Amino acid sequence: MRRILRLSWRLAAVTAFLLSGPVVAATRPTLTDQEVEQKVTALMARMTLQEKVGQLTQVGAFPGMDPEGTIRKGGAGSVLWLNEPEKFNALQRVAVEETRLKIPVLFALDVIHGYRTIFPVPLAMAASWDPAGYERAQAVAAREARAAGIHWTFAPMIDVARDARWGRIVEGAGEDPYLGAAMAAAQVRGLQGPYPGAPGRLIACAKHFAAYGAADGGRDYDPVYVSEGQLRNVFLPPFHAAVKAGVGSFMSAYMDLNDVPATANRFLLRDVLRGEWAFPGFVVSDAFGVANLVTQGFAADGPEAARRALEAGLGVDMASNTYGRHLAAEVESGRLPLSLVDEAVRPILAAKLRMGLFDAPFTDTSKLAEVLEAPAHREEAREAARRSLVLLRNEDRTLPLGKDLGSIAVVGPLADSRMDTEGSWMVFGHRPAAVTVLEGIRGRAGAGVKVTHAPGPEIRREIPSMFEEFIPELKKPAQPPEEAEAAFRQAVATARDAEVVVMVLGETAHMSGESASRASLDLPGRQQELLEEVVALGKPVVLVLLNGRPLGIEWAAEHVPAILEAWQPGTEGGHAVADALFGDVNPGGKLPVTFPRKAAHAPLYYARNLSHQPEGSERYRSRYWDGPTTPLYPFGYGLSYTTFAYSGLAVTPSAIAAGQAATVSVDVENTGAVAGDEVVQLYVHQRSGSDSRPRRELKGFRRVTLRPGEKKRIDLPLGPDELRYWSTARGAWVQEPAAFDVWVGGDSTAATRARLTVAR
Ligand code: BGC
């Protein structure tokens, strides 16, 4: 691992190896579908059973694994956890020169929110409510990663997540299937371009199929129990959207779904994915997922695990080598038909052919440094970070900061941390190079402003993260208590000496992500205590949050005059935050996830069903008798330095027949003094039907920029796609005659209402 890291630091110095000609932009593969099929058939006719199993085996470049030896034997079709451009070409040479059939390998890596230029974490990108921006961001990520020799990324992660305790909530688009589907499709378009693995692009992978975000108790990897209605209405729509956008691959999830492991879940992989959605690509397990089938108490041993996963429709075994060890024997003994192996191998060979890897298997890295250092990529990352900022509170116009400030104290453990600014899920071997919030403020404040800094006591996980276990550089001894105490006092003193205090608090990069669930949503460590002492000084305080999940900031929401949610904003994060603090940019993002008051309220989401004592009734508020039931901040919420007014809501026509579409129109006006962005959101509620339906569901949105005084009419379609749902009672998709409430506004509590009737 350390070697991997060391070598990849040298990325920029790598000048290698030129084989293919210049990259030609292509909108479709050079081979037609028919030619691809013919070539696959011809190749398969020459393959031994072991060679076929090799294509279904993904080998890791981890200590104890031997990618080179495995490839040489024809035992691997793809490689993961390697990030060394020169090594890619060397391994590819083994594949195409030393193996019998010369089949190239695919290099796969988790390029989640950037390769060298790191974009805001996915939850932040969703807060932009800007699919076109997300598409551009992932196109940059693809361009950089492909230039380094990567073919396949394990992104987008499109698990709907409604439980703020779950660490992986940071990797997805939040709680809503409609927003999630829009962001999933945008990411697939950005990563893949015109087709999976087009020049300068990657093969994308929709993960983790499916419902991984609904883990019991928000505990990562724990089982999931959801009804078919919830599965189809809530958790599957982003995956279906990814298929419609042409995603090349899928990854199965780790956990049991209704007692059947997702890795060997025939209903998910065969009935839904291949059957209903006609997905033509391939499915990879999550890491070690096939071997896990034994741990899960599903398969008795490795041979059974291999057989049942393949039977269920799982194509590639990631890293566990269970297929490599057992599949051939299962076929030879007659327990598994060869046709199932063939069926799994075909889409993998087809993908390699479409990418042109048989003709041009190597990566020309001579221009790599140029691609990775492209100023346009930094500019895109800065714009993405700006658009993901959510202004949660701004009493007395604390923000933007005044022009005549003499001094600013920037306080908190995250204020000057590159890694925590870039955030969760960094590419293997990447060295964080983010502009921190402190640097951003220093750069923008101007020579006349004194900017001081104190980090306060460090924050750390009680149990080390998965990444700390793998990457020794991340392991640091804990700060001794007396040092922490001195840091605390220093932080308060620094705040006392300044006119304005910017507190940069939240979670470190590895406090969210995989294996990073929490039982509390409080600010970890002594941050809350520090915040309270600093606020008690009586100065204007701005809280900038860097975090990968909703935090329980109930106290801050009442006592800190300004709160800016900056998430983990990536390489250009510090610049973007400074842009907003000084008013060069007006924050316009909106929460893609409900902020509960505390962990005990999770899962909390807006699209829940009504019940006895519905909301609005006095008693609703007492779902818990020991505190309010309402969210701290609702889904879709976010303020601006300006204000917006809605008027003229109309649904045209206001009555339609099932199958027809109506248009929802509204005027939105900037009623303040500065330009700003509003995210116009459309929610519906079906008043009666075969099943009870959620009190509100997002069914349309548009982010618009308005000058002061400017008014725009926004039209949003409302048709069969938006009005249908999977009925658990009827076991089918239905669009029913019913009355619908329609709301449009700036968050999920929008009050402007109209009515749509769907007639029989
Ligand atoms: C994660 C996946 C990831 C894979 C490969 C697993 O632990 O769950 O999201 O793609 O590792 O790194």
Side-chain angles (χ1 to χ4, degrees), residues 80-81 110 154 168 171 207-208 212 221 251 254 286-287 318 425 428 466 514:
L80 86 156
W81 296 324
D110 293 277
F154 299 129
R168 304 197 79 167
E171 293 177 56
K207 72 184 188 183
H208 308 82
Y212 182 27
Y221 317 125
M251 184 188 294
Y254 272 130
D286 203 339
M318 183 192 285
W425 250 131
F428 281 97
M466 195 172 91
E514 184 174 352

Side-chain angles (χ1 to χ4, degrees), residues 410 412-423 426 432-439 453 455 459 474 476 504 507-510 546 567-571 573-574:
V410 184
L414 306 174
D416 198 27
S417 164
R418 294 194 199 295
M419 178 173 291
D420 301 316
T421 306
E422 290 196 354
M426 261 167 277
V435 175
T436 65
V437 173
L438 175 64
E439 289 169 331
H453 167 59
I459 52 174
L474 294 179
K476 280 189 289 169
V504 189
E507 291 182 327
T508 63
H510 297 121
L546 298 194
W567 315 101
Q568 292 165 341
T571 307

